[in-house]
Each structure stands twice: as C-alpha cells, then as structure tokens.
Amino acid sequence: MIEISGLGKTFIGQDGAAVRALDDVNLTVQENEFLTVLGPSGCGKTTMLKMIAGLLPWDQGEIAIGGAPVRGPGPDRSMVFQNFALLPWATVLDNVAFGLRMRGVGKKEREERSRELISLVGLSGFESKRPGELSGGMQQRVGLARALAVEPSVLLMDEPFGAVDEQTRRLLQEELLAIWEKNRLTVVFITHSMEEAVLLGDRVVLMSARPGQISEIVPVPLERPRSSDVGGVERSSDYVNITAYLWERLREMHEERSVVAGSGPSV
Amino acid sequence: MNANTETRAPARTGWVSAAGKVNASLLSLVVAALAWEVIGRLADVPFFPPLSDVLGVLGDLITDGDIFGNLLTSLGNLALGFALSLVAGLVVGTAMGRYRRVNAALGIYVYALLTAPSLVFAPIFFSILGAGQASIVAVVFMYSAFIMIINTASAVENVSDSLIEMGRSYGAGEWQLVTRVILPAAAPMIFAGIRLGMGRAVTGMINGEMFIAVVGLGRMVTQAGKRFDGAEVLAILLVIIAVALAAIALVQFVDRKVTGWVPATSKESG
Ligand SMILES: Nc1ncnc2c1ncn2[C@@H]1O[C@H](COP(=O)(O)OP(=O)(O)OP(=O)(O)O)[C@@H](O)[C@H]1O
Ligand SMILES: [Mg+2]
C-alpha cells in the first residue's frame, strides 16, 4: 500500500519563477491495485511518480510504502521510463539484468532470471541484440522485463507506451494486462490517454494543473481479466461512459486554463 | 507474443563504401607523393629535396640502424607522458563533468592551461626536473592532458539525465553509476578527446626532445638541421608522422572495441 499525504513541491525555474508542481496531494494506492493517473501536461504526474520512486525530494508531506517512509530509491519499487532509458551499449540480456546486477545478484542467477523475463515479454531469441537494433515496442518490452526482473512490489510507469505507434501500443497494453492479471502487483501508471487509463486501471486519478492537485478519483468497475477480450471491454457501456466523462473533465480543465491564460496580463 | 516482425536491420558500412574509402586515401597519397617529387625537383632548394632523395636517406637510416634506438626512446617518452595524461583526463574530467563544485574549482585552470602555449612551461620543467626524460614526459603531459580533461568533462556532463535516473532507481551507488552508466555512455565522446590528445602528445614529444633534452627523434631532427641536411630532416619527419598515425590508429582500434555499439551510420557517412 502506498500512502501519500499532504505532498507538496515548488520548483524554482531557471528564470527564478516558482512553479507549484504539487499541492496538498493525498492519495492511497491499495495493495495490488492498478492505478492510472491522467491529467493535462504539466500537472505534476511525473513529479509525483519520481517522488514515489525516491528520485526526487519534496517540500511538504509524506510518502509511505507498506508503512515505511520513502527516503530514496528502494528494491521494493521499479520504474519503466517513457524514453525506455536502456543502456545502448548493453545487450538485451544485460539490460534486463541491470537491476539485479546493481543489487549484487551473481552472474548465473541474474542471467537465468533475466532469460525468464525476456521470454515473458516475448523477446526470446533477442537476448544478444542491442537496443539500437530493436523497434520502440521491443525496447519497451526490455524496459518492462528489466523492471519486473527485480521482483518489485510496486511498479511505476511513466507514459510507458507514449513513444510507440498506436498498433504496438495496443499490443503492449494487452501484454501488460495479461502479465499483471497473472501476477498482480501494485502499479502506478501515468498516461495521457483516457482510453488507456480506463482499459488498464482499477481507478483513474484525474489531476489538474497549477497547482498540481488531485481533482477526482474515478473507479473503473470493468470486470477482470480484461486482456482476453479487450474488444469486448471497449464496447462495454462502462468503458464508453467513463472515457467520455474523463474527456469532459479534461476539456473543462483545458478551457479553464485558456481562459486564465487569455485574461492574464499579456507579456 | 511474437516480436519477430519488429527487428530492424543493424546499420553497417558495407564493403563497397569501405573499399571506396581505402581507394580515396590511396589516391590522395599518390597525388601528394607525385606533387612532392615534382616540386622538389623543380624548386631545387636544399631544404625541400624531392621525395626520392628523402626516401633514400630514410633507407640508409634504417639499414644503419641509427634510427631504432632513438625511435624507442621517443616512443617511451610518448607512452609514459600519454598514459599519465590519459589517467588525469579520465579522473579529473569525470570529476569535473559530474560535480559542479569540482568544475567550478578547476575549470579555470584547465582552460587556461589548454590555451597556453605548452612549450612556455619547458624552461620550468627544465629547471625543476633537469634535462632528462622526466622533463619530456612533463611536456607531453602539458600538451595532451587538458584537451582530454575538457572532452571527458563535457562527455560526462552530456550523459542523459534519464539514464542516470534509471541507474539511481535501480539502486546504483555513485561508483556503480559512474562505472556502469556514465563512463560507458560518455565513451564515444571521450574517445574523440583521446584521439586529439594523442595527436598533441606526439607534438609534445618532438618539441620536448628538440628543445629540452636532446634525445630521440627530436635529437636527430635537431642534428640534421644543424648539418643543413634537408633530406634527413624530412626523412625523420616521415618517421614522426608514421608514429603519430600509428598512435592514432591504436586509439581508434581501442575505440572500436569499446564503442562498437554506436551504430555505424551515426559515426561516419559512407
Ligand atoms: N526540474 C524542474 N525544474 C523546474 N520546474 C520543473 C522541474 N520539473 C518539473 N517542473 C515543472 O513542474 C510542473 C510539473 O511537471 P511534471 O513533469 O511533473 O508534469 P507532467 O504532469 O508529468 O507533465 P507531462 O504530462 O507533460 O509529462 C511543470 O510545470 C514543470 O514545468
Ligand atoms: Mg510527465
């Protein structure tokens, strides 16, 4: 369980202007919940995720995982990055084994474990390829395998499928669902897509910008497993209604923002 | 899950363009050699003899065996001076690229010494270290270290934040981060600096040998110059050029071993 309370953060930009990236964010992520986070650009999604990952300090509030306060990165969490963040000089096998290696797992064991995960994400046969030889979709499979290899209890994903084409994205969504349905762990998944947020999530956290706050949490009562019949899920009235509702809310936020921007002093 | 269809063919320079490159450099060598020969014969001045004379003298130097002892001395000076600057380049450069404070503290000196004409330090070394190998090694160091420091520093600074963040998120400590993420990621750019450093090291070696301790190839050049033996000066110059090219080829060889992962297409255009 991840407990976030009163989380606040102000960035001082290079021009000296203060940006309130997060303001009084309160959120509880249940054990083994798949939580998706949706919000306009710049509302603090990445900032919040990096804080959960222990990569970024905050100004106010507290984050606790399983009751223990977060003080830095830890073996209970792993992260999947939007731009994959693979080591370009390392093979698929070495990339997947990276986290295990940092934790001092011996060569034999980490290679064995990495091979299992490579096969789980459908990349068997590509162990000795380098990232530059793979498509974006395959690179993110490597990123996912690397994250799962360390057996985290919390998986943090920052727009993991944002940089791949639509068709690959759909395949990856189905694969992620299938993997998660077999082996449930706590997932915090950031996305820009209403459809993705609803298809994958148990709940959708809707954030608003300036200051970054949680505006609403929308439960997704769609049945699981969803991976076996994604088409059916997408035709269900719950799916259709929730995505429509989310878009309505996001559109309001964009409009509010353009009104604010329009009425402000012109610089 | 079938990912087979997603492979992309690795980009490699084909044999056609590789062969084209060899031909191009061969052609340029032949043209230069011919030009040298013709101009040398036409000009008929003592300090620019035609290529054939120079090659004749070079042949004599080799058959006499005169050149080998001196060549070895020079290579020893080069190797030692370059090794020291390489270590300094990597250690100081990494520290400067990674830690803002180190950069603030050392940056000004490194830039000052990079731009200062390195030979002005020769008298200082001469008076402190004497007219021995140590002075020459010090000159080689002054010539080659700073370019490598600066290149390494900016290579390290330019490593993408997301790779570093990735490393941290998987629990990498500072040492692991530097050795397993930052240095490998910076390697291609670091090697570009090492190549420049090697070229400068050869220059430093010759200058040191000519102006401080008169030994090695530098001594041969100086002595031939005093005898107004233009052909021998140029013959030794050819040897020096060969040393420089060989040294740089060595750097490139190691570079290819270490950074073979960089796609060929982003390195060179056919
Ligand atoms: N290092 C930083 N320095 C200054 N400002 C920052 C920094 N990081 C983030 N910000 C600001 O904080 C706000 C939130 O940024 P964040 O990256 O968390 O947004 P996001 O919701 O992830 O946006 P996107 O959807 O575009 O990825 C933005 O206004 C951003 O400009
Ligand atoms: Mg973001």
Side-chain angles (χ1 to χ4, degrees):
Chain A
M1 197 164 78
I2 309 173
E3 288 162 292
I4 301 173
S5 54
L7 197 66
K9 172 83 181 177
T10 303
F11 283 112
I12 309 294
Q14 263 161 3
D15 52 357
V19 176
R20 190 74 178 147
L22 290 176
D23 188 57
D24 193 25
V25 169
N26 297 286
L27 177 66
T28 301
V29 190
Q30 300 301 329
E31 197 82 38
N32 304 337
E33 176 176 15
F34 200 126
L35 189 83
T36 52
V37 181
L38 189 64
S41 192
C43 69
K45 304 183 292 295
T46 299
T47 303
M48 182 175 78
L49 200 75
K50 280 186 185 168
M51 287 174 177
I52 300 173
L55 293 171
L56 193 69
W58 51 88
D59 300 335
Q60 297 88 32
E62 197 49 273
I63 303 178
I65 296 177
V70 169
R71 289 289 173 263
D76 54 337
R77 284 151 286 157
S78 59
M79 192 147 172
V80 178
F81 298 83
Q82 176 172 12
N83 64 359
F84 320 136
L86 301 178
L87 305 175
W89 59 89
T91 61
V92 166
L93 185 66
D94 289 342
N95 266 293
V96 173
F98 180 81
L100 296 167
R101 182 168 193 176
M102 291 303 110
R103 277 162 211 181
V105 176
K107 188 178 164 83
K108 193 159 170 279
E109 193 186 333
R110 68 173 187 251
E111 289 197 348
E112 219 166 86
R113 175 109 195 91
S114 301
R115 279 178 206 285
E116 281 169 29
L117 277 138
I118 288 170
S119 123
L120 179 74
V121 298
L123 284 180
S124 294
F126 291 88
E127 288 86 351
S128 54
K129 294 263 187 262
R130 295 210 159 74
E133 301 171 77
L134 306 178
S135 69
M138 292 169 82
Q139 291 189 50
Q140 196 55 298
R141 288 189 172 98
V142 176
L144 180 62
R146 175 178 64 191
L148 293 173
V150 294
E151 300 186 308
S153 54
V154 175
L155 185 61
L156 304 169
M157 308 180 84
D158 190 0
E159 297 185 47
F161 309 146
V164 301
D165 66 85
E166 179 64 23
Q167 290 163 32
T168 309
R169 184 187 176 106
R170 291 187 65 113
L171 289 173
L172 287 169
Q173 288 168 350
E174 282 178 28
E175 288 167 19
L176 177 64
L177 269 178
I179 290 169
W180 181 80
E181 278 157 2
K182 254 182 270 162
N183 175 19
R184 296 204 175 197
L185 66 171
T186 311
V187 180
V188 181
F189 185 109
I190 292 177
T191 176
H192 266 128
S193 149
M194 287 82 48
E195 289 81 9
E196 187 168 70
V198 176
L199 175 66
L200 299 177
D202 293 320
R203 291 187 296 161
V204 181
V205 173
L206 195 61
M207 288 180 74
S208 59
R210 286 170 212 277
Q213 276 178 325
I214 291 180
S215 128
E216 188 177 349
I217 299 181
V218 181
V220 181
L222 294 167
E223 260 174 52
R224 293 197 187 264
R226 300 177 192 166
S227 61
S228 47
D229 183 22
V230 169
V233 171
E234 287 173 343
R235 281 187 297 276
S236 71
S237 58
D238 275 343
Y239 175 91
V240 173
N241 292 337
I242 297 169
T243 44
Y245 174 72
L246 289 172
W247 172 232
E248 220 170 275
R249 294 295 320 273
L250 282 166
R251 170 190 253 153
E252 282 168 21
M253 288 182 198
H254 284 287
E255 276 164 8
E256 268 167 37
R257 246 167 115 183
S258 50
V259 169
V260 170
S263 63
S266 52
V267 184
Chain B
M1 279 184 226
N2 187 346
N4 273 296
T5 47
E6 291 176 36
T7 355
R8 218 187 281 155
R12 291 261 155 72
T13 316
W15 61 272
V16 178
S17 60
K21 241 167 54 189
V22 169
N23 284 339
S25 21
L26 207 66
L27 189 68
S28 117
L29 274 182
V30 170
V31 169
L34 281 176
W36 182 348
E37 184 70 26
V38 170
I39 296 171
R41 284 193 189 287
L42 291 179
D44 194 26
V45 289
F47 268 93
F48 196 70
L51 179 61
S52 50
D53 291 7
V54 173
L55 289 178
V57 173
L58 183 59
D60 291 346
L61 287 174
I62 291 170
T63 37
D64 293 353
D66 269 8
I67 204 161
F68 293 111
N70 287 314
L71 180 59
L72 221 59
T73 309
S74 290
L75 288 178
N77 293 337
L78 177 67
L80 200 56
F82 179 75
L84 290 176
S85 4
L86 182 61
V87 171
L90 292 179
V91 173
V92 179
T94 303
M96 277 177 63
R98 179 99 181 110
Y99 311 110
R100 217 163 272 286
R101 283 205 196 133
V102 179
N103 199 3
L106 298 185
I108 179 163
Y109 301 110
V110 173
Y111 274 101
L113 292 172
L114 175 75
T115 43
S118 315
L119 214 53
V120 302
F121 299 102
I124 305 175
F125 295 141
F126 186 80
S127 58
I128 299 174
L129 300 168
Q133 196 189 16
S135 283
I136 297 176
V137 168
V139 170
V140 172
F141 183 90
M142 292 308 281
Y143 266 83
S144 64
F146 304 105
I147 188 81
M148 294 200 276
I149 291 176
I150 282 169
N151 239 281
T152 304
S154 71
V156 164
E157 221 178 307
N158 278 318
V159 172
S160 89
D161 288 340
S162 75
L163 270 194
I164 293 173
E165 223 155 48
M166 185 284 292
R168 288 212 296 133
S169 81
Y170 285 98
E174 183 63 18
W175 176 251
Q176 284 176 313
L177 216 50
V178 168
T179 56
R180 301 261 168 239
V181 178
I182 295 173
L183 285 180
M189 204 172 149
I190 291 177
F191 268 101
I194 294 178
R195 232 170 13 231
L196 293 175
M198 183 59 106
R200 286 169 149 250
V202 174
T203 312
M205 169 196 85
I206 295 301
N207 283 342
E209 289 175 354
M210 283 173 68
F211 298 113
I212 304 185
V214 189
V215 295
L217 296 175
R219 186 189 67 159
M220 293 184 80
V221 175
T222 311
Q223 286 176 343
K226 279 186 186 143
R227 276 185 272 112
F228 296 104
D229 187 344
E232 185 168 329
V233 169
L234 289 178
I236 297 160
L237 188 65
L238 284 182
V239 175
I240 293 168
I241 291 172
V243 167
L245 291 180
I248 286 170
L250 178 72
V251 172
Q252 276 173 326
F253 175 77
V254 178
D255 185 1
R256 266 198 294 276
K257 291 267 160 209
V258 175
T259 68
W261 52 271
V262 177
T265 41
S266 66
K267 246 186 181 175
E268 50 201 325
S269 49

